[in-house]
């Protein structure tokens, strides 16, 4: 399933100056052939990243609105994201689900609208610590996946990210074999429903240069969604080249 997808989720970090510094320090070395790199900056930095990022890298947005256009103050459509050069969009990151109360119905709409306008959504799923401790991990992630895919699951054109909520920004990374078994369950669901024939499933949650290679060595982990460690060019490059 190569190239593996290595994604930088910059969340609400970075300024124009910091973006310029990042790419100055990033250098000219192309990513390894077995890796695809995508940057998810905050909205106002999209065009700057598009102009400064290395050739072959892709641009993505952290969120979108499901409508084509309209009176939705503060929102951004997939149509506009595409217009500024995005090819990816995150859907249902746990910070959107838990901090901003995005419902599954809403997320299903965002997922559909991204596909319809030619963006490649990365649907994020993941259980909370309480759900994990109650032994509900698979049930929760498969239900989140089913809700977003809807009645007619798309045959291709999207990726998934498994991000256990308890591992995001906490320094507690999932054990590689535990993540692997969740990824296997997600792939099995896709196969059973004839969905996502080209989907890669990324792992996210406290990925660092020191754990990236072990995660990527798992047969069903086909990429990484990196938050904190993607803000520093040296550490993100180490993750990008881990295991190559
Ligand atoms: P983290 O964030 O790498 O800082 O844990 C990952 C994410 O939220 O996508």
């Amino acid at each position: 399933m190569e190239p593996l997808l290595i994604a930088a989720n910059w969340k609400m970090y970075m300024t124009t100056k910091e973006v310029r510094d990042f790419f100055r320090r990033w250098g000219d070395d192309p990513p390894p052939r077995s890796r695809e790199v995508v940057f998810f900056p905050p909205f106002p930095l999209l065009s700057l990243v598009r102009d400064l990022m290395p050739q072959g890298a892709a641009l993505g947005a952290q969120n979108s609105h499901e409508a084509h256009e309209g009176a939705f103050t503060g929102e951004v459509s997939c149509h506009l994201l595409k217009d500024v050069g995005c090819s990816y969009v995150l859907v249902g990151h746990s910070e959107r689900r838990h901090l901003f109360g995005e419902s599954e119905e809403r997320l299903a709409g965002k997922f559909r609208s991204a596909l319809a306008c030619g963006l490649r959504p990365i649907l994020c799923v993941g259980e909370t610590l309480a759900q994990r401790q109650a032994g509900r991990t698979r049930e929760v992630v498969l239900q989140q996946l089913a809700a977003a895919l809807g009645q007619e699951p798309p045959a291709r054109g999207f990726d998934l990210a498994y991000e256990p909520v308890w591992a995001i920004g906490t320094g507690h990374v999932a054990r590689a074999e535990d993540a692997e078994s969740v990824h296997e369950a997600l792939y099995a669901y896709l196969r059973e429903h004839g969905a996502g024939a080209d989907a890669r499933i990324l792992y996210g949650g406290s990925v660092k240069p020191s754990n990236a290679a072990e995660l990527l060595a798992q047969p069903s982990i086909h990429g990484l969604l990196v938050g904190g460690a993607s803000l520093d060019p040296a550490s993100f490059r180490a993750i990008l080249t881990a295991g190559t």
Side-chain angles (χ1 to χ4, degrees), residues 84-195:
V84 299
C86 289
S87 44
Y88 286 90
V89 64
L90 297 181
V91 176
H93 188 281
S94 69
E95 287 152 17
R96 303 296 322 167
R97 291 179 191 264
H98 297 288
L99 301 178
F100 298 97
E102 292 193 357
S103 67
E104 304 219 297
E105 193 185 355
R106 193 88 211 239
L107 295 175
K110 292 182 180 212
F111 183 74
R112 285 273 154 194
S113 105
L115 283 166
C117 87
L119 286 177
R120 192 171 174 95
I122 301 181
L123 175 72
C124 305
V125 298
E127 82 286 4
T128 62
L129 185 59
Q131 290 165 332
R132 182 177 197 85
Q133 287 170 340
R136 296 183 51 217
T137 298
R138 272 168 198 243
E139 172 207 335
V140 168
V141 300
L142 293 179
Q143 188 272 327
Q144 290 170 337
L145 175 58
L149 294 184
Q151 293 303 315
E152 288 173 36
R156 45 200 314 118
F158 64 91
D159 298 303
L160 304 180
Y162 168 53
E163 297 206 302
V165 178
W166 50 269
I168 296 179
T170 58
H172 300 300
V173 67
R175 291 194 314 167
E177 58 269 37
D178 291 344
E180 168 67 13
S181 82
V182 177
H183 283 225
E184 278 170 10
L186 292 166
Y187 272 123
Y189 184 97
L190 292 177
R191 274 195 307 274
E192 277 160 30
H193 292 81

